[in-house]
Amino acid sequence: MKTLFSMLFKAVVTTLGLVLMAGLLLAGLLTAVIVLLWARLRGRPLPPVNLRWGRAGGFSAGAGRPAGEVVDIEAREVGASCAARPGAARPALKEPGAR
């Protein structure tokens, strides 16, 4: 009798676990479809999907090494001649929503 109850309990728990897993899978699928439809209705691109798992974080491998050769440059002033060149002026920005 004890074995029968044990097997019945395991079957019920397994069934409930499978139902829970199927429900969560369905909820995730429904959420993905809603996000897809909402993006399409608004005419915007789909949000990017980032599937990078296990990225190395923290310190890089070469953090303890010296930077290498340092190059010193000679700075010079940029005069008004650069601003007088054709095409140097930038066009004015338009307000969002203005045509």
Side-chain angles (χ1 to χ4, degrees):
M1 196 71 165
K2 183 177 178 181
T3 306
L4 179 65
F5 284 130
S6 176
M7 286 176 37
L8 186 62
F9 179 74
K10 287 179 185 179
V12 169
V13 169
T14 302
T15 304
L16 289 176
L18 289 173
V19 168
L20 177 67
M21 183 186 70
L24 290 174
L25 185 65
L26 186 62
L29 184 63
L30 184 64
T31 303
V33 168
I34 289 172
V35 168
L36 173 75
L37 289 176
W38 184 248
R40 291 291 179 199
L41 286 174
R42 293 186 308 158
R44 298 198 176 176
L46 296 176
V49 177
N50 185 7
L51 295 178
R52 292 188 202 175
W53 288 4
R55 284 190 303 186
F59 302 104
S60 64
R65 291 189 231 144
E69 184 180 345
V70 177
V71 179
D72 192 13
I73 62 165
E74 185 178 328
R76 59 185 171 91
E77 254 335 283
V78 176
S81 63
C82 288
R85 290 186 308 178
R90 293 186 177 175
L93 296 175
K94 295 180 181 178
E95 289 293 322
R99 292 187 180 218

